[in-house]
Amino acid sequence: MSALTLISDNIFDIFIILMWSMVVFVPILVGVILAVYGDRKIWAAVQKRKGPNVVGPFGLFQVPADGLKYIFKEIIIPDGADKILFIFAPILTFSLAIAAWSVIPVQAGAVLSNINVGILYIFAISSLGVYGILIAGWSSNSKYPFFGALRSAAQMVSYEVSIGFVIVTVLMCVGSLNLTDIVLAQKKIWFVIPLFPMFVVFFISALAETNRPPFDLPEAESELVAGYQTEYSAIPFVLFFFGEYANILLMCSLTTILFLGGWLPPLDITPFNMIPGFIWFLLKLIFVFYMFAMVKAFVPRYRYDQLMRLGWKVFLPVSLAAVVLTSSILFFFNLAPDLI
Amino acid sequence: MVISSKNPVHSVLFLILTFFNAAGLFVILHAEFLAMILIIVYVGAVAVLFLFVVMMLDFNFTKSKENVLQYMPFGIFIGVVFICELIIVLINTRLDLANIQILANPFLNFSDMTNTQALGSVLYTDYILYFQLSGVILLVAMIGSIVLTLRDRPGVRRQVIGEQLERNASSTVLKEVNSGEGIDI
């Protein structure tokens, strides 16, 4: 009863919150559809194919058509599966992929919730993402999904460490955990120039974190059928697919914010700063996504031990050394940002 | 739910939910930095490894439920102790709901900075000794666990990345093999 009155008293606020959620959700939905389309087109162009070109103008409606097909299919739950967790896993992946977007600023002030610990929030949400995969693999009660989930968990936990250290180096140059502050700190120079090695480490780690090729071992079809999503069909599969691409776009936008100056124009002169900030943000996002897609097209898949070696024996020492080096330089040349 | 679930994986997932709720409590107390760190460290790393181990275990958990009554008195004892502690704390603390902001932010002179800054400005100055000590303890624990698990097994073929990368067409060994004859390496 009290819960009902709570809802009825705040019905207007709840409506506003729902509307704001839609404001975040709809662009992501459109963005994911375009990203899948772009991914397939770029991949096709590299391999001298045409890619999707039949449904709609230039094949633009191919992805929504595929989505519709999945929606009308039957949801098959394996006999020995843990039913609740089996359904819960894709929902978790999907909602986490959406939740992280609420703190991404696309323009000065254009952010759903401008929280003080924005970057930590994204880091926390993306570290939760591993649960969707782990639960999916385990609850399927099947060998290949289980192996896929274990691989994926190990991979994501390993590369999160180096992503964390890269973020720390950037944060030392900024002096704030707020994403808007991180962008504004790059007014003089984008961090990609002084911190270029960190940019490379972050980009490769982001590929591994989102299970993109060449690190798509959790779903290496030649070894594991389709990894953790082998047993999934229809809507749960769409949720996984959507979550994966939303995460890729999230990592692209995080790269943009941390290293490429977010919504800031490349030079603060007249023809450039006439263009509104979110256009710059989108352009940079598309550029980073293009790199993601190209890597998928021309890099062969890593072997699993090579992947682990790269994560722990190369990236971890490099990023750890970079943290020490950056802090030393900031300290000795008195470049550290004023905090208090 | 953590202890009453039949399936250990469910127990771990409920444990993760508990961590998550604790993080939520921190957020309500305006300690957003602690909340995020709790999620990153406990939920994102520790609990993943925990879940990992539990999923890999091949142990008959239905049998272990049979002697659950054996441990019951001990469990009840610990539960009673914790409830007593909670009650004592609740009786002795006067929760001033009007000044919840003060409770959440004990450093009044830091009230205009974010709690990340407030935490940093005391952690690395007044409490640097404890901070470093806990770091040393963690380092010792890490080295200890590496030493315990490090075994030098002879006869294991290892992948040497450098040698693999140095290999080129001229150093490749090619042998002509007639069909049906086999080969000695």
Side-chain angles (χ1 to χ4, degrees), chain A residues 33 46 82 84 89 93 115 125 138 157 208 228 235 243 252 280:
Chain A
I33 287 172
V46 172
D82 190 322
I84 297 171
T93 308
I115 58 177
I125 295 286
W138 182 79
V157 169
Y228 60 91
I235 306 256
C252 292
W280 281 117

Side-chain angles (χ1 to χ4, degrees), chain A residues 1 14 44 46 62 68 80 103 111 177 186 194 200 221 232 239 250 257-258 270 272 284 300 305 319 335 340:
Chain A
M1 192 61 202
I14 290 169
V46 172
Q62 180 68 51
L68 267 181
V103 294
V111 51
L177 294 170
Q186 303 180 53
V200 175
E221 60 277 328
Y232 281 89
L239 293 183
L250 179 79
I257 288 169
L258 289 178
T270 316
F272 286 131
K284 290 168 184 172
D305 63 308
S319 50
L335 292 167
I340 307 162

Side-chain angles (χ1 to χ4, degrees), chain A residues 82 128 131 138 150 303 309, chain B residues 10 43 47 55-56 159 161:
Chain A
D82 190 322
L128 284 178
Y131 283 107
W138 182 79
L150 290 185
R303 216 171 51 209
R309 174 183 168 272
Chain B
H10 292 179
V43 181
M55 279 180 177
M56 304 273 272
Q159 309 256 4
I161 301 288

